[in-house]
Amino acid sequence: MDETRVGTRLSGKRIALGVTGSIAAYKAVGLLRALRCEGATVSVVMTRAATKFVTPLTFEVLSGTRVVTDLFDAHEEITHLTIPERVDAFLVAPATANFLAKAALGLADDALTTMLLSVRGPIIVAPAMDGDMWSHPTVVEHVQTLRARGVVVLEPEVGPLASGQVAQGRLCGESTILAAVDAALAAQCDWHDQVVLVSAGPTQEPIDPVRFLSNRSSGKMGYAIADAARARGAEVILVSGPSSLSAPPGVTMIRVNTAAEMADTLFQNFRACTVLIMAAAVADFRPKEVAQQKVKKYGKADMTLELESTTDILTMLSAHRTSQIVVGFAAETEQVLSHAHEKLKAKGLDLIVANDVTQAEGGFGSDDNAAVILTATGEQRAFGLMSKRRLADEILTAVHEFCLVRPQRKFPVE
Ligand code: CTP
């Protein structure tokens, strides 16, 4: 392929490329380069048989990331659970008859098949095998099973095969595979016509030039929502308080510090958005006076800080809305549902995500979270402990289902 032609079709998309033990495994190298040239970030997973045909190092160098070959080769960053969660689409090329059988049955005896059971985005499979194998009733049945489950199984091409046979079984061409990935991603983009404004992280309210009031928010939930909305086709603006996280790819990020800066920035961007998701843990109070110089301790046995309230940004924005959907969070330590319901009503929200932040697992700083969603139209949906990225998808699905597809609201909430 012509590497000077750098495409943007898959720009910002994250693709997992599963490679299984077919002689066509060498073609996956070209495919990886083609995916990269189209702008995708690619994580490669190889079966043990695939490594007999091409070394993992080849894929490692060309992908720029570690190649997963072993289910038990746990790595902090890349595991059989993190890859399916982080990618937008899962492509298996070439796929052997053995792989098709395992995938159809849900076997999970290696890294690739185990990952496949956790994938929520589109799965595209490009088989390659001998012609007799492709037409064997067992393979035909497994392909039917996978297709019935929504997996895109591409038709192999007719041509000369490694066995010398001329039959249907050749891995289909790069352009066909890329087009299938592109089409599968496009079909997933249920948020493609939305402009989503997301807030995340804490705010910092200065006391003096070196001290501030803040809270334990890490920003992980809001960043996960921004990432999920982008993956589902939305244009995303993320307004973040101080956080160590980096901007998800493809998301416009605006960093702020104080509640007042967050309020101004969200206000400026609110008119252009279609959905506001307010995941930030905004400080409710700030010091009334900010000392220009560092406050000194000498001669003071105690100290009193006088605080004043910040703007309740959600209430302010929901009062200014034209047609925007407004979603809030409720961080609670007791009576989670009743407090969340009060906030839903008081702040004029379409939907609220209630969290019990006292739980040891989930809540501030954690990678996981459990939540209950309440809507202005009276729906309730509970989610047990799961990764914040997965919860982000559940929240977007609920907002889509309850607020975007069925937008009729019955305000005020009773
Ligand atoms: N929020 C806001 N502006 C504030 C405080 C909170 O927009 N000044 C938003 C949060 O982003 C969240 C929702 O309001 O989406 C609820 O925040 P939470 O901290 O749970 O509740 P508060 O409204 O601050 O009330 P309380 O602290 O009394 O629970």
Side-chain angles (χ1 to χ4, degrees):
M1 73 162 291
D2 176 9
E3 285 190 52
T4 56
R5 184 185 58 84
V6 176
T8 53
R9 191 162 38 154
L10 300 175
S11 184
K13 298 292 179 194
R14 287 166 297 186
I15 314 289
L17 173 61
V19 185
T20 70
S22 154
I23 181 67
Y26 77 91
K27 294 185 182 171
V29 176
L31 192 55
L32 166 59
R33 291 170 70 172
L35 288 164
R36 300 267 289 154
C37 284
E38 288 292 344
T41 305
V42 186
S43 306
V44 180
V45 190
M46 300 177 77
T47 62
R48 201 193 318 204
T51 64
K52 305 276 182 200
F53 291 96
V54 188
T55 68
L57 185 62
T58 309
F59 289 104
E60 214 147 271
V61 170
L62 293 173
S63 68
T65 56
R66 202 175 137 269
V67 170
V68 178
T69 53
D70 184 355
L71 179 57
F72 301 104
D73 180 16
H75 186 274
E76 206 179 306
E77 278 298 302
I78 303 169
T79 71
H80 64 281
L81 291 177
T82 51
I83 287 187
E85 199 156 81
R86 288 181 192 170
V87 296
D88 300 314
F90 209 107
L91 167 66
V92 183
T96 58
N98 182 49
F99 168 80
L100 294 176
K102 291 204 285 185
L105 292 172
L107 297 187
D109 63 352
D110 59 18
L112 178 58
T113 48
T114 305
M115 281 182 196
L116 223 61
L117 293 180
S118 307
V119 175
R120 288 166 63 88
I123 301 175
I124 305 100
V125 172
M129 65 193 75
D130 204 51
D132 291 337
M133 293 170 81
W134 176 248
S135 57
H136 191 282
T138 318
V139 176
V140 170
E141 206 174 296
H142 288 145
V143 168
Q144 278 168 358
T145 304
L146 290 169
R147 283 182 176 154
R149 228 178 266 152
V151 174
V152 177
V153 183
L154 300 175
E155 286 289 318
E157 289 176 0
V158 177
L161 302 172
S163 63
Q165 217 185 18
V166 176
Q168 187 179 14
R170 283 172 68 85
L171 181 70
C172 51
E174 267 173 27
S175 56
T176 307
I177 297 174
L178 289 188
V181 172
D182 192 32
L185 283 168
Q188 282 291 109
C189 287
D190 56 347
W191 278 68
H192 72 97
D193 47 1
Q194 305 299 330
V195 180
V196 184
L197 184 58
V198 184
S199 72
T203 63
Q204 290 179 350
E205 309 305 324
I207 297 169
D208 67 16
V210 295
R211 303 181 180 97
F212 55 79
L213 295 178
S214 192
N215 59 61
R216 294 180 193 281
S217 171
S218 63
K220 286 178 182 171
M221 193 66 241
Y223 279 60
I225 290 173
D227 187 47
R230 177 216 56 88
R232 289 165 72 155
E235 182 185 331
V236 182
I237 302 165
L238 174 61
V239 178
S240 174
S243 166
S244 58
L245 303 173
S246 38
V251 164
T252 303
M253 166 100 128
I254 307 172
R255 291 196 187 269
V256 296
N257 283 308
T258 63
E261 286 167 14
M262 184 168 278
D264 285 350
T265 309
L266 289 170
F267 187 73
Q268 281 162 25
N269 288 280
F270 185 62
R271 189 179 281 270
C273 84
T274 57
V275 179
L276 167 73
I277 303 183
M278 193 76 197
V282 187
D284 291 324
F285 296 94
R286 67 177 163 227
K288 207 165 181 178
E289 306 280 341
V290 180
Q292 294 307 305
Q293 305 301 333
K294 189 181 174 204
V295 177
K296 292 302 201 184
K297 67 182 174 189
Y298 303 113
K300 291 184 190 136
D302 52 27
M303 181 186 161
T304 304
L305 263 184
E306 205 179 337
L307 304 179
E308 64 182 8
S309 33
T310 58
T311 305
D312 189 302
I313 304 173
L314 258 184
T315 307
M316 180 265 289
L317 291 178
S318 99
H320 279 89
R321 71 160 132 201
T322 46
S323 57
Q324 294 87 348
I325 298 296
V326 179
V327 175
F329 274 70
E332 306 296 345
T333 56
E334 50 158 3
Q335 300 173 52
V336 176
L337 288 186
S338 61
H339 284 319
H341 194 259
E342 279 161 22
K343 283 178 190 170
L344 177 76
K345 217 159 92 167
K347 301 190 187 215
L349 310 180
D350 296 284
L351 186 148
I352 196 159
V353 184
N355 289 146
D356 183 344
V357 290
T358 60
Q359 296 301 308
E361 291 176 318
F364 290 132
S366 168
D367 286 334
D368 299 322
N369 206 358
V372 179
I373 284 172
L374 305 177
T375 73
T377 42
E379 289 92 354
Q380 183 169 326
R381 192 173 280 177
F383 301 102
L385 195 66
M386 62 180 77
S387 73
K388 286 184 173 170
R389 182 60 177 75
R390 184 152 290 192
L391 182 62
D393 262 320
E394 298 289 1
I395 293 167
L396 293 182
T397 299
V399 174
H400 195 267
E401 187 180 330
F402 298 135
C403 309
L404 296 171
V405 180
R406 286 189 273 148
Q408 63 279 51
R409 279 176 234 129
K410 18 175 198 184
F411 282 115
V413 181
E414 296 309 322

